[in-house]
Amino acid sequence: MVIEALHYLFTRDLALLKKEIEAYPDTASIWKVEGKITNSAANLCLHLCGNLQHFIGAVLGNTDYIRNREQEFLPNQGISQSALIAEIEKTKDVVLATLSNLDVTTLQNDYPQQVLGRTFSTVGFLMHLAGHLNYHLGQINYHRRIITH
């Protein structure tokens, strides 16, 4: 039951992330920063994909993904809108495949790494990741509305 709920949340919010990125009129606007906004939507999108591919895909799913968190926040990398959308789709595939292979025992066990200076249960950390995705999704929505007026 918990796996189905997590599956639903990640499916829903990654689809919303894709919809937000698609709603920008062009690649330049996705990379734009304005005023006190220091992270572009593209940076946040790369951050979310890197975060999920690392903490779910690599750690729980044993993929070969290697995260470069600093790269996620480099300004105006010029990665296209279509490339960001492809990265979201790849992330969704990795997340859903990994969740499908988890069992109740794994969810109850400690997450394999300490994060934020503490130990989480795997299910607790997956809930944290879903909240993190949703938090940045809201930032992207707000960014898009400011940038595209």
Side-chain angles (χ1 to χ4, degrees):
M1 183 152 104
V2 173
I3 292 173
E4 291 82 8
L6 289 166
H7 193 278
Y8 168 78
L9 291 172
F10 283 109
T11 299
R12 178 195 68 189
D13 290 346
L14 287 167
L16 288 171
L17 176 59
K18 179 181 174 185
K19 184 177 177 181
E20 285 294 336
I21 297 300
E22 289 173 336
Y24 281 83
D26 53 38
T27 294
S29 61
I30 296 170
W31 284 100
K32 189 172 181 181
V33 292
E34 189 172 288
K36 293 187 179 195
I37 296 173
T38 57
N39 290 317
S40 69
N43 289 123
L44 293 171
C45 180
L46 291 171
H47 172 62
L48 288 169
C49 291
N51 181 272
L52 295 173
Q53 287 190 53
H54 171 75
F55 287 116
I56 295 178
V59 176
L60 295 176
N62 298 311
T63 66
D64 59 359
Y65 182 80
I66 298 173
R67 185 177 189 192
N68 183 345
R69 190 176 188 283
E70 293 75 30
Q71 179 80 24
E72 297 164 10
F73 290 102
L74 292 178
N76 202 359
Q77 300 174 49
I79 298 169
S80 71
Q81 192 171 19
S82 60
L84 291 170
I85 292 166
E87 193 65 19
I88 295 166
E89 287 296 325
K90 178 181 174 185
T91 300
K92 181 184 77 171
D93 292 345
V94 166
V95 167
L96 299 182
T98 302
L99 289 176
S100 295
N101 288 321
L102 298 180
D103 58 29
V104 174
T105 302
T106 302
L107 291 175
Q108 293 171 345
N109 289 340
D110 288 346
Y111 184 76
Q113 298 178 347
Q114 275 209 340
V115 184
L116 305 171
R118 63 168 288 204
T119 301
F120 287 86
S121 67
T122 298
V123 70
F125 191 61
L126 289 169
M127 290 169 57
H128 167 81
L129 292 173
H132 177 259
L133 169 59
N134 198 267
Y135 175 78
H136 288 309
L137 180 59
Q139 288 180 314
I140 291 169
N141 175 269
Y142 191 67
H143 176 272
R144 179 183 53 76
R145 290 183 287 129
I146 288 172
I147 297 299
T148 62
H149 306 295

